[in-house]
Amino acid sequence: QMQLVESGGGAVQAGDSLRLSCAASGHTLTRYTMGWFRQAPGKEREFVAAIRWKDDSTYYANSVMDRFTISRDSAKNTMYLQMNSLKPEDTAVYFCAGTYVYGSRRRIDFDSWGQGTQVTVSS
């Protein structure tokens, strides 16, 4: 069972930046697709971004395209989400997750989840 631990959340102003980290243990990630999801109060958990560990291919939700960047450090078994130009609608709990389904962006395919980190963006 893979363990995932997120960090880096916080409270910021609109237009600010944050970088989230997700440290993975218990598995080598070569065959994994790792992703970020978020859940705002009263809303469904939604896809934000994903990265295929083996070849570094990335995928983004339209709502974060050109503002967020997903990346990884294989030596540290850690994934990042650089979030720039944050908006109040980005406020949510952000979760990292992993799946063996290559290139998936579907929440149902991800079976390893972190505990989440809160991001709050005020206007």
Side-chain angles (χ1 to χ4, degrees):
Q1 184 74 24
M2 180 164 57
Q3 290 79 45
L4 300 172
V5 179
E6 304 97 333
S7 61
V12 297
Q13 298 285 326
D16 286 350
S17 298
L18 276 175
R19 189 176 80 154
L20 306 183
S21 299
C22 173
S25 61
H27 269 277
T28 55
L29 300 181
T30 305
R31 295 172 58 192
Y32 271 81
T33 291
M34 299 298 294
W36 289 99
F37 291 76
R38 67 187 182 186
Q39 188 166 18
K43 295 189 176 182
E44 294 285 319
R45 191 172 298 187
E46 64 175 4
F47 170 77
V48 175
I51 185 166
R52 296 194 320 203
W53 208 263
K54 185 174 183 178
D55 64 6
D56 217 24
S57 295
T58 57
Y59 310 89
Y60 295 94
N62 289 337
S63 59
V64 305
M65 189 79 68
D66 298 327
R67 297 189 299 121
F68 290 10
T69 302
I70 190 171
S71 62
R72 59 156 173 78
D73 184 332
S74 295
K76 295 181 179 179
N77 244 27
T78 299
M79 176 177 66
Y80 304 98
L81 186 68
Q82 177 67 43
M83 305 186 294
N84 298 330
S85 302
L86 282 161
K87 304 176 181 180
E89 51 263 44
D90 294 318
T91 295
V93 178
Y94 284 70
F95 298 88
C96 71
T99 179
Y100 266 123
V101 180
Y102 201 55
S104 176
R105 283 152 276 187
R106 301 194 314 161
R107 184 183 65 181
I108 194 172
D109 289 332
F110 286 77
D111 53 10
S112 296
W113 292 86
Q115 82 288 350
T117 185
Q118 177 71 46
V119 172
T120 302
V121 185
S122 57
S123 57

